């Protein structure tokens, strides 16, 4: 293998180490020589806009290697095939177009019918795949002009759920003049948040603004192609040649021209795991440890799948660690750079450096069509401008583009030079809605907002008490007034006053300082109460990525849930081969993953989004030996994070989230449990005597079936039955089994009997070392709220949604459940019958005080959207939300558990709530799925309200907009009120809604459980509303009403998989009124009259009647 030529020592970008030659293994010397382009710096081909700042950061010594460079593989002397060109940002990655499924099917069948004996040559399984093949090839081929990123990437290590919103800034006030006046433009700070989960050398990249805008250097060997080992799902390794197509930002392999499926777009990358951080994938595929140093796994979105949120995994092994580093860092650099370029055209900001990048790219594409190319002759005509707007999601009508083009054409020649191009972009991005608001509030200040008027705007319009922290808001004003106007003062010796102009005001409205929930900061003081007083963000069957019966299991599902702030995740443990426990949905066709891999991922990502305690809900089906393996893995991997004993002795109450920061709790059944039942204490001999006032209420798990214990055990028990037990069963008692084969420990089971009134000792299948880890979450099988086990401070009940529903239907059981959940923990999880991983309505559980409403996070339905809104917290996604006061105990700090109250809880006072939403405009709305780049959306917005009461109980009304029928989303998730806005035809870039003011009001007992949902829809013809019940919205945003700040706010929008769009927002003005108690006239009770008074009254009435008759 010939090594690469040694770089010129005078070249600042040269840095090819002696060990670096191995990265082009498999590439011949002739290919390398032919690829070197004249005029390049030792073969290094750099994007035209590469800045000196980037080049200067590269190593200059010949001995520097790719592995040792803290800035990745930039600036190395590598041969290159063609000019690196990652600038093209055409069609939306969320809107692939392709032929109908029937065309792909017909083509596949026709291809295989050319030869004789079709079914003899094709197995039944292969034929099934052919007949059901999706049109992915057409879709992928159509995405050769892929438009670049439109989805926000979640930042690794972030503590906030919405930290990547448009125009995000640091959440602290500036402290120096340099910080005040050197803030990056809105829309770009958010893009710099994009990061992958590893590559430690990338984390040390310089964060200067100049370097952030620099085009990445594309290593030549990656463009020529490098040999990598591709690992299939069948655990086979095959050498494959991978190429980086920098022009179209794609990676291809093998013969991608004949098989378009053998490629993926860099914009679709979700994660890159490399080396030891990808160990779980390597071990799951049973690959040897020697491959770890070159292993990297790419997780990317499958945009051609018919299922939202589908992902693919690509497992690759490089021949040495250097090549692995180069691939991962280059992909990261291109992806980050394309995010930045998207901001230049589609984002709200305007930066000349980004516009110069786009201009240079367009000039390089059209220069070959012109005889000469000099800077003075560079121009764009109307056709090129229209194409650029289509490529970059500027989805406005051609008439508007033509109007802006003519206005920017200063010379009137039908062409734009670079200065004219900047004017055109400024005109396109001008926010007429923001301009009207600005001039309305600065009518007395010709320069804009001065500091007093800005603080008054915050107080009067935005609902922010700026006088509580004037220093902070003065710093915010200085930050956005850095480019503002300075008017001359009357006194020449005085400092000219500083004003926030229109650009600064627009930037402020788009920044994180003004986002939804920016004033709702989570106070640590609110997290100092016991765990039972919080709603906890919880997941069910966290490991699944799809359906419950035949879905895939993946550690990626844990990563996604943890990064979104989930604080209670579930692990179903079963025996695996070679004494290695596995995680799988038992007795189904789902795939499995190693328990050790799950624990490794949990340890790495467990506290990335939140520092507050993480609860592992273990469903254990393992043998004793493998249970011990589980204990060893957790104790070794978690170390001091794992809670193995109470924090404080002799305290019979749960600790607070603040006490358990960065700690891991285990929810598991107790070991070797023996539950003694007192004869007669659990058996009713007549009418049910159970009462909420009884601390040891009697069990009613008996069925009225008198046929004997065997039939009774096989039948479903009648919870709450008032029938007495059969005389044949006298002297038998129920025993609480402590092990279950179903999900967790939910629901009463058939009783186990033993004669003569003696208690049966039932041994748990959980070994003591594992069961002892359930320090603060000991899973107890539910039998009754009055049992002794139900009084222990550290117990937790897990109920299926069916059992929870039965308890909630009965008035007495419902009151007991609410009282129980004030003091102890409860978890409710979806029915096993939800094969498609749908979800129940979490509001039904929260209004009963249930702490953990565990949902299927892989399905982003309305229930999951409400769950996201509950735990968003915006400024701090902790995963814990303090329950309303009515659902918390009266004496939360008592050393002993509180017994049930002697009477039913007092009736909750209803509240009257009124708020209004003025829909002003939308920004950069995505194109509908399946449409081309020339399609112009016809967007309208629907506003829905969800309450904890059922629709028949709640009193909701609204004024404004078009009334739309309430939609039943299943599981009693019905919108209490639904309104639609007007339709804006042919404008998805900056539609402005006029006179769309919605005033909504309701009466509710649960004001803290009111949610508002905005959905963006597309009218098929610009006039009619979409009435297809199976249609999905283009974008969605859900918020808890109590967390919505008033004033002018930009609402972030999400796709149907819960991923945030980069620049898509709704601009609204929100106004809320104070809640008031609902006062109703109490009915007049009839006067109670005794027997004697009744007879006397009757006698007097009869006497009067007789007197009238005589007269």
């Amino acid at each position: 293998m010939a090594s690469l030529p040694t770089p010129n020592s005078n070249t600042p970008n040269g840095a090819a180490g002696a060990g670096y030659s191995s990265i082009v293994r498999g590439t011949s010397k002739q290919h390398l020589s032919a690829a070197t382009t004249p005029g390049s710096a030792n073969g290094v081909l750099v994007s035209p806009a590469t800045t000196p700042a980037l080049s200067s950061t590269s190593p200059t010594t010949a001995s520097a290697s790719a592995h040792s460079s803290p800035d990745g593989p930039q600036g190395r002397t590598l041969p290159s095939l063609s000019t690196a060109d990652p600038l093209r940002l055409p069609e939306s990655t969320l809107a692939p177009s392709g032929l109908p499924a029937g065309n792909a099917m017909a083509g596949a069948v026709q291809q295989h019918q050319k030869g004789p004996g079709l079914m003899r040559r094709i197995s039944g399984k292969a034929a099934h795949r052919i007949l059901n093949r999706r049109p992915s090839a057409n879709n992928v081929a159509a995405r050769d002009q892929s438009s670049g990123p439109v989805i926000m990437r979640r930042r690794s290590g972030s503590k906030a759920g919405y930290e990547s919103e448009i125009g995000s800034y640091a959440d602290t006030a500036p402290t120096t003049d340099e910080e005040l006046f050197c803030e990056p433009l809105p829309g770009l700070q958010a893009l710099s948040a994009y990061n992958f989960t590893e590559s430690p050398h990338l984390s040390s990249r310089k964060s200067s603004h100049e370097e952030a805008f620099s085009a990445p250097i594309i290593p030549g060997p990656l463009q020529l192609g490098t040999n990598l080992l591709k690992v299939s799902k069948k655990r086979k390794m095959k050498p494959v040649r991978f190429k980086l197509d920098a022009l179209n930002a794609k990676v291809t392999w093998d013969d991608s021209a004949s098989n378009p499926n053998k490629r993926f777009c860099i914009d679709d990358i979700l994660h890159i795991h490399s080396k030891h951080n990808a160990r779980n994938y390597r071990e799951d595929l049973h690959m040897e440890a020697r491959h770890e140093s070159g292993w990297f796994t790419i997780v990317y979105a499958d945009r051609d799948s018919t299922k939202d949120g589908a992902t693919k995994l690509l497992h690759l092994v490089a021949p040495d660690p250097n090549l692995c580093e180069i691939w991962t860092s280059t992909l990261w650099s291109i992806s980050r750079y394309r995010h930045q370029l998207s901001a230049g055209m589609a984002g709200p900001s305007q930066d000349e450096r980004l516009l110069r990048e786009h201009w240079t790219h367009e000039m390089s594409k059209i220069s070959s069509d012109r005889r000469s190319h000099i800077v003075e002759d560079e121009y764009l005509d109307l056709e090129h401008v229209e194409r650029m707007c289509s490529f970059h999601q500027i989805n406005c009508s051609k008439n508007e583009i033509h109007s802006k083009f003519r206005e920017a054409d200063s010379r009137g020649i039908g062409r734009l030079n670079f200065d004219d191009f900047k004017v055109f972009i400024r005109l396109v991005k001008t926010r007429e809605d923001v301009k009207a608001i600005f001039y309305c509030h600065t009518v007395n200040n010709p320069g804009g907002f001065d500091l007093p008027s800005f603080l008054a705007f915050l107080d009067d319009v935005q609902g922010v008490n700026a006088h509580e922290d004037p220093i902070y808001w003065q710093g915010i004003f200085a930050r956005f007034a850095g480019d503002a106007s300075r008017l001359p003062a009357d006194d020449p010796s005085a400092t000219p006053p500083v004003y926030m102009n229109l650009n600064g005001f627009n930037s402020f409205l788009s920044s994180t300082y003004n986002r939804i929930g920016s004033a709702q900061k989570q106070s640590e003081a609110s997290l100092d109460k016991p765990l039972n007083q919080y709603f906890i963000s919880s997941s069910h069957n966290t490991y699944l990525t799809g359906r419950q019966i035949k879905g895939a299991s993946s550690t990626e599902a844990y990563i996604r849930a943890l990064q979104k702030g989930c604080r209670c995740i579930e692990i179903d443990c079963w025996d695996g081969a070679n004494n290695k426990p596995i995680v799988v949905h038992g007795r189904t066709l789902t795939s499995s993953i190693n328990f050790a891999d799950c624990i490794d991922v949990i340890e790495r990502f467990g506290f990335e989004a939140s520092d507050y305690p993480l609860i592992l809900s273990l469903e254990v089906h393992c043998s004793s030996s493998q249970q011990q393996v589980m204990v060893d893995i957790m104790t070794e991997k978690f170390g001091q994070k794992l809670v193995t004993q109470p924090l404080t002795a002799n305290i019979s109450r749960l600790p607070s989230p603040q006490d358990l920061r960065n700690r891991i709790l285990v929810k598991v059944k107790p070991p070797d449990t023996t539950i003694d039942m007192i004869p007669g204490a659990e058996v009713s001999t007549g009418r049910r005597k159970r009462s909420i006032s009884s601390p040891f209420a009697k069990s009613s798990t008996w069925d009225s079936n008198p046929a004997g214990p065997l039939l009774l055990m096989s039948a479903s028990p009648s919870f709450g039955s008032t029938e007495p037990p059969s005389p044949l069963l006298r002297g038998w008692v129920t025993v609480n089994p402590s092990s279950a084969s179903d999900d967790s420990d939910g629901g009463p089971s058939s009783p186990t009997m033993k004669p003569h009134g003696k208690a049966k000792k039932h041994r748990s299948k959980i070994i003591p070392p594992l069961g002892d880890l359930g320090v603060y979450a000991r899973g107890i099988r539910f039998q009754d709220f009055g049992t002794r086990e139900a009084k222990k401070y550290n117990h937790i009940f897990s109920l299926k949604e069916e059992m929870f529903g039965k308890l909630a239907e009965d008035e007495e059981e419902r009151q007991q459940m609410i009282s129980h959940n004030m003091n102890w923990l409860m978890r409710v999880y979806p029915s096993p019958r939800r094969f498609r991983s749908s979800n129940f309505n979490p509001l039904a559980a929260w209004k009963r005080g249930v702490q953990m409403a565990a949902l299927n996070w892989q399905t982003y339905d309305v229930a999951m959207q409400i769950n996201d809104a509950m735990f968003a917290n915006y400024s701090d996604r902790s995963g814990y939300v303090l329950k309303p006061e009515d659902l918390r105990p009266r004496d939360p700090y008592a050393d002993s558990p509180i017994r049930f109250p002697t009477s039913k809880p007092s009736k909750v006072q209803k509240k009257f709530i009124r708020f209004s939403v003025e829909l002003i405009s939308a920004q950069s709305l995505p194109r509908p799925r399946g449409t081309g780049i020339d399609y112009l959306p016809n967007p309208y917005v629907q506003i829905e309200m969800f309450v904890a009461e059922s629709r028949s109980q709640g009193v909701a009304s609204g004024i404004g907009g078009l009334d739309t029928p309430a939609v039943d989303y299943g599981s009693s998730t019905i919108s209490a009120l639904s309104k639609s806005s007007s339709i804006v035809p042919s404008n998805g870039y900056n539609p402005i809604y006029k006179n769309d003011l919605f005033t909504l009001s309701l009466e509710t007992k649960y004001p803290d459980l009111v949610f508002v949902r905005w959905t963006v829809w597309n009218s098929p013809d610009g006039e009619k509303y979409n009435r297809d019940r199976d249609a999905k919205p283009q974008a969605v945003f859900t918020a808890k009403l109590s967390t919505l700040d008033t004033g002018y706010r930009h609402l972030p929008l999400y796709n149907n998989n819960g991923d945030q769009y980069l620049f898509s927002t709704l601009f609204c003005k929100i106004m809320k009124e104070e809640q008031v108690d609902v006062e109703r006239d109490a009915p007049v009770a009839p006067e109670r009259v005794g027997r004697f008074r009744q007879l006397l009254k009757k006698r007097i009435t009869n006497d009067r009647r007789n007197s009238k008759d005589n007269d």
Side-chain angles (χ1 to χ4, degrees):
M1 176 65 195
S3 60
L4 294 176
T6 304
N8 191 329
S9 59
N10 296 327
T11 303
N13 290 338
Y20 185 68
S21 60
S22 60
I23 72 165
V24 292
R25 189 174 299 164
T27 304
S28 65
K29 182 176 180 180
Q30 290 77 8
H31 281 128
L32 296 179
S33 301
T36 306
T37 304
S40 62
N42 294 317
V44 177
L45 270 254
V46 185
S47 182
T50 303
T51 63
L54 178 64
S55 302
S56 62
T57 61
S58 303
T60 57
T61 59
S63 61
S65 68
H67 186 69
S68 61
S69 172
D71 293 331
Q74 300 178 348
R76 291 180 170 79
T77 301
L78 298 173
S80 178
L81 181 62
S82 60
T83 302
D85 196 358
L87 304 180
R88 192 173 184 176
L89 298 172
E91 171 67 16
S92 170
T93 59
L94 289 186
S97 60
L99 297 176
N103 292 341
M105 177 184 70
V109 174
Q110 182 179 6
Q111 180 181 358
H112 284 273
Q113 285 180 343
K114 292 181 180 179
L118 175 65
M119 298 310 295
R120 294 184 179 219
R121 292 185 294 107
I122 305 176
S123 65
K125 183 176 181 181
H128 176 75
R129 290 181 178 177
I130 292 173
L131 295 175
N132 292 277
R133 181 175 297 171
R134 298 188 303 270
S136 57
N138 294 325
N139 286 342
V140 176
R143 291 176 58 219
D144 285 344
Q145 295 183 352
S146 172
S147 68
V150 295
I151 289 296
M152 190 78 69
R153 306 304 190 200
R154 186 166 297 275
R155 180 180 182 173
S156 180
S158 171
K159 300 297 180 186
Y162 295 97
E163 78 284 357
S164 298
E165 192 178 343
I166 295 173
S168 63
Y169 294 84
D171 284 338
T172 57
T175 56
T176 65
D177 292 340
E178 182 179 358
E179 291 178 355
L180 292 177
F181 297 99
C182 297
E183 179 65 27
L185 291 176
L188 296 173
Q189 182 75 9
L191 303 177
S192 65
Y194 177 55
N195 197 356
F196 288 121
T197 54
E198 38 280 325
S199 298
H201 67 283
L202 294 177
S203 62
S204 62
R205 296 173 60 90
K206 296 183 182 296
S207 58
S208 66
H209 207 44
E210 292 77 9
E211 183 178 348
F213 294 151
S214 301
I217 298 176
I218 311 300
L222 302 193
Q223 300 183 73
L224 286 172
T226 63
N227 288 342
L228 303 173
L229 292 178
K230 182 176 179 292
V231 185
S232 68
K233 293 187 294 185
K234 297 182 179 180
R235 303 169 184 174
K236 295 182 179 179
M237 304 184 73
K238 176 184 177 181
V240 178
R241 192 173 189 81
F242 282 79
K243 294 182 180 180
L244 173 61
D245 182 356
L247 176 64
N248 297 307
K250 296 186 302 182
V251 175
T252 62
W253 61 93
D254 285 348
D255 187 6
S256 59
S258 61
N259 188 353
N261 288 317
K262 295 184 176 182
R263 67 180 70 173
F264 68 87
C265 293
I266 296 178
D267 300 322
D268 292 338
I269 295 178
L270 301 177
H271 297 285
I272 298 181
H273 307 280
S274 62
K275 301 183 179 179
H276 67 280
N277 289 324
R279 183 175 302 165
N280 54 308
Y281 298 105
R282 179 183 59 77
E283 293 180 348
D284 188 51
L285 294 170
H286 300 285
M287 293 296 152
E288 300 176 5
R290 61 187 178 90
H291 296 302
E292 182 171 294
S293 61
W295 186 290
F296 61 104
T297 295
I298 302 174
V299 184
Y300 62 94
D302 184 8
R303 303 300 181 191
D304 307 313
S305 173
T306 57
K307 181 181 181 299
D308 291 320
T311 59
K312 286 186 177 181
L313 299 177
L314 183 62
H315 307 289
L316 302 174
V317 182
D320 57 65
N322 288 340
L323 184 57
C324 175
E325 287 284 339
I326 289 176
W327 266 108
T328 56
S329 58
T330 301
L331 292 176
W332 178 90
S333 299
I334 294 177
S335 181
R336 181 171 179 264
Y337 183 62
R338 286 172 65 83
H339 274 71
Q340 295 167 347
L341 286 181
S342 295
M345 293 293 290
S349 63
Q350 181 174 351
D351 184 88
E352 184 172 344
R353 284 166 292 187
L354 290 181
L355 295 181
R356 174 64 71 178
E357 292 280 354
H358 286 285
W359 180 265
T360 303
H361 174 60
E362 290 297 321
M363 293 302 103
S364 65
K365 288 196 301 182
I366 64 179
S367 61
S368 59
D369 299 333
R370 301 173 182 172
R371 296 181 179 179
S372 61
H373 178 71
I374 58 177
V375 176
E376 290 75 11
D377 292 339
E378 290 182 346
Y379 62 85
L380 288 176
D381 56 20
L382 180 60
E383 180 183 356
H384 285 96
V385 170
E386 287 181 346
R387 185 177 61 184
M388 285 187 65
C389 292
S390 298
F391 285 165
H392 297 292
Q393 300 289 315
I394 302 178
N395 303 320
C396 51
S397 66
K398 288 187 177 181
N399 290 336
E400 184 174 354
I401 294 178
H402 293 176
S403 174
K404 305 297 184 185
F405 183 90
R406 289 192 297 268
E407 188 175 352
D409 184 11
S410 59
R411 298 169 295 174
I413 60 175
R415 298 176 180 180
L416 303 182
N417 57 23
F418 180 65
D419 292 333
D420 296 335
F421 176 69
K422 290 189 297 182
V423 175
F424 172 79
I425 295 299
R426 178 176 57 81
L427 293 174
V428 169
K429 292 187 177 185
T430 298
R431 293 280 302 274
E432 298 294 338
D433 50 346
V434 175
K435 182 188 296 185
I437 298 170
F438 176 79
Y439 288 121
C440 176
H441 292 278
T442 59
V443 63
N444 297 323
N445 294 326
F449 283 101
D450 58 8
L451 180 59
S453 61
F454 177 71
L455 297 180
F457 172 79
L458 294 176
D459 289 333
D460 301 337
V461 180
Q462 301 299 92
V464 177
N465 190 355
H467 298 285
E468 287 186 353
D469 194 355
I471 303 300
Y472 174 81
W473 288 109
Q474 288 175 15
I476 300 303
F477 174 80
R479 182 185 296 271
F480 293 99
D483 288 336
S485 305
R486 291 180 181 269
L487 298 185
D490 296 335
D491 184 2
S493 62
T495 302
V498 178
Y499 291 89
M500 181 187 294
N501 61 14
L502 176 59
N503 290 335
F505 181 67
N506 186 22
S507 299
F508 167 74
L509 291 181
S510 300
S511 72
T512 56
Y513 299 116
N514 191 60
R515 65 185 175 187
I516 285 290
S518 59
Q520 303 287 336
K521 294 187 179 296
Q522 179 82 317
S523 172
E524 291 190 2
S526 65
L527 294 173
D528 61 356
K529 296 177 174 57
L531 288 174
N532 54 283
Q533 299 191 42
Y534 295 89
F535 296 128
I536 304 173
S537 181
S538 305
S539 169
H540 169 255
N541 287 355
T542 315
Y543 48 88
L544 289 180
T545 61
R547 299 188 176 187
Q548 300 289 310
I549 301 301
K550 193 179 178 181
S553 302
S554 173
T555 54
E556 285 297 323
Y558 284 103
I559 295 174
R560 181 176 177 85
L562 291 171
Q563 287 183 334
K564 295 184 71 174
C566 184
R567 294 290 85 194
C568 179
I569 58 178
E570 185 175 16
I571 309 177
D572 293 351
C573 312
W574 295 76
D575 282 343
N578 302 321
N579 204 34
K580 294 182 178 180
I582 60 175
V583 176
V584 65
H585 196 194
R587 304 185 181 92
T588 65
L589 300 178
T590 58
S591 61
S592 64
I593 50 180
N594 290 330
F595 176 81
D597 295 339
C598 295
I599 298 302
D600 178 71
V601 165
I602 293 169
E603 194 278 331
R604 287 163 47 201
F605 295 93
F607 299 97
E608 182 176 286
S610 173
D611 293 334
Y612 293 97
L614 175 64
I615 302 172
L616 309 185
S617 180
L618 299 184
E619 183 185 337
V620 183
H621 302 273
C622 296
S623 61
S624 299
S625 61
Q626 297 208 18
Q627 287 185 44
Q628 184 60 52
V629 175
M630 292 170 54
V631 174
D632 296 340
I633 292 173
M634 288 189 291
T635 53
E636 177 183 358
K637 198 68 180 178
F638 294 149
Q640 297 298 320
K641 296 180 182 178
L642 186 64
V643 176
T644 57
Q645 57 185 359
L647 302 183
T648 306
N650 302 322
I651 298 295
S652 56
R653 64 178 176 89
L654 294 172
S656 69
Q658 186 66 28
D659 297 333
L660 294 168
R661 293 189 74 164
N662 295 303
R663 303 299 298 273
I664 296 177
L665 307 180
V666 174
K667 172 190 168 294
V668 67
K669 293 184 177 71
D672 193 15
T673 302
T674 301
I675 302 178
D676 297 331
M677 297 297 180
I678 303 173
E682 297 294 336
V683 180
S684 300
T685 58
R687 184 178 179 182
R688 184 175 66 175
K689 300 296 184 181
R690 218 171 16 164
S691 171
I692 195 171
S693 61
S694 172
F696 296 99
K698 298 179 180 180
S699 173
S700 58
T701 58
W702 293 94
D703 195 282
S704 58
N705 186 350
L710 294 180
L711 291 180
L712 181 64
M713 292 178 65
S714 62
S716 298
S718 177
F719 194 93
S721 174
T722 59
E723 296 294 329
S726 168
L728 297 175
L729 303 179
R730 291 175 182 169
W732 298 69
V733 297
T734 60
V735 176
N736 181 10
S738 59
S739 181
S741 60
D742 61 347
D743 188 346
S744 193
D745 39 77
S749 64
S750 303
T752 304
M753 305 298 174
K754 187 173 182 177
H756 309 303
K758 295 182 180 179
K760 178 181 178 180
K761 296 182 178 181
H762 186 93
R763 291 188 176 274
S764 170
K765 296 180 181 179
I766 306 299
I767 64 174
L770 179 57
D772 291 342
L773 294 179
V775 178
Y776 290 120
R778 179 158 295 192
I780 302 299
R781 174 169 289 277
F782 175 79
Q783 290 292 327
D784 191 270
F785 290 113
T787 62
R788 293 178 181 176
E789 291 292 327
K791 302 298 185 209
K792 294 185 178 180
Y793 78 100
N794 62 345
H795 84 275
I796 178 173
F797 286 141
S798 284
L799 304 178
K800 295 178 185 177
E801 65 171 290
E802 296 94 339
M803 175 53 60
F804 170 80
K806 291 179 181 179
L807 294 176
E809 289 175 359
D810 183 87
E811 176 67 22
E812 188 175 350
E813 300 283 3
R814 181 168 63 249
Q815 296 301 328
Q816 288 193 18
M817 178 166 53
I818 294 174
S819 298
H820 170 275
N821 295 340
M822 287 182 177
N823 308 287
W824 302 289
L825 296 176
M826 179 178 285
R827 175 177 175 266
V828 176
Y829 57 90
S831 168
R833 297 186 181 92
R834 295 187 177 274
F835 303 127
R836 296 187 177 184
S837 298
S838 60
N839 289 301
F840 63 89
N841 184 4
L843 292 172
W846 292 331
K847 71 179 180 180
R848 309 300 180 201
V850 175
Q851 291 85 2
M852 305 176 197
L855 301 182
N856 294 311
W857 282 47
Q858 66 269 37
T859 304
Y860 196 66
D861 52 13
V862 175
M864 191 62 210
Q865 294 167 23
I866 293 175
N867 185 83
D868 268 3
M870 166 64 81
F871 296 99
N873 284 336
Y874 306 103
S875 59
D876 184 9
R877 180 176 284 237
S878 65
Y880 289 82
V881 173
L882 188 66
K883 295 198 291 186
E885 186 176 357
D886 294 334
L887 298 177
R888 304 203 306 266
R890 298 187 182 96
D891 187 11
Y893 294 102
D895 289 337
S896 60
I898 304 170
R899 298 187 183 278
F900 291 111
T902 56
S903 61
K904 295 181 180 180
S906 59
K907 189 174 182 179
V908 179
Q909 175 67 52
K910 272 193 172 184
K911 300 287 186 180
F912 177 77
I913 298 176
R914 178 183 289 149
F915 64 99
S916 62
V917 177
E918 181 183 357
L919 179 62
I920 301 175
S921 63
Q923 293 75 44
S924 301
L925 296 179
R927 296 190 187 103
R929 190 181 182 93
T931 59
I933 62 175
D934 295 329
Y935 181 83
L936 296 178
N938 308 301
Y940 67 94
V941 179
Q942 184 173 330
I943 298 180
E944 298 173 284
M945 185 166 53
F946 296 88
V947 296
E949 291 94 344
S950 63
R951 192 167 184 266
S952 60
Q953 294 174 334
V955 180
S957 61
I959 302 174
L962 177 68
D963 290 330
T964 53
V967 181
D968 186 354
Y969 296 98
S971 303
S972 300
T973 309
I974 305 175
S975 56
L977 189 67
S978 181
K979 294 278 189 177
S980 293
S981 72
S982 58
I983 300 173
V984 178
S986 302
N987 191 346
Y989 181 68
N990 55 358
I992 295 180
Y993 297 87
K994 298 180 179 179
N995 302 320
D996 280 315
L997 175 63
F998 307 89
T999 301
L1000 311 177
S1001 60
L1002 73 152
E1003 295 180 3
T1004 178
K1005 295 188 294 185
Y1006 312 99
D1008 293 313
L1009 298 179
V1010 178
F1011 292 82
V1012 185
R1013 180 174 182 250
W1014 289 261
T1015 50
V1016 179
W1017 299 83
N1018 180 59
S1019 170
D1021 57 1
E1023 297 179 357
K1024 298 179 181 179
Y1025 290 87
N1026 195 328
R1027 300 303 185 191
D1028 185 3
R1029 294 184 61 88
D1030 297 329
K1032 293 184 178 181
Q1034 302 303 119
V1036 63
F1037 174 70
T1038 308
K1040 188 165 59 171
L1041 180 60
S1042 60
T1043 63
L1044 283 176
D1045 295 326
T1046 58
Y1048 296 99
R1049 308 287 176 175
H1050 285 88
L1051 311 182
L1053 294 177
Y1054 297 78
N1055 66 1
N1056 292 315
N1057 192 43
D1059 297 317
Q1060 184 181 343
Y1061 287 107
L1062 272 173
F1063 308 111
S1064 302
T1065 58
L1066 294 177
F1067 186 49
C1068 302
K1069 183 180 182 181
I1070 300 171
M1071 293 161 282
K1072 295 192 292 187
E1073 298 181 8
E1074 292 291 334
Q1075 301 177 11
V1076 296
D1077 294 340
V1078 176
E1079 301 292 344
R1080 299 190 184 278
D1081 294 335
V1084 179
E1087 182 183 0
R1088 299 194 52 160
V1089 181
R1091 180 65 176 169
F1092 176 78
R1093 292 175 61 88
Q1094 290 180 8
L1095 293 175
L1096 180 61
K1097 185 176 182 179
K1098 185 177 181 180
R1099 178 65 179 270
I1100 293 173
T1101 303
N1102 291 336
D1103 290 344
R1104 290 178 178 174
R1105 186 178 301 147
N1106 294 334
S1107 175
K1108 290 181 179 180
D1109 293 341
N1110 293 334
D1111 294 341

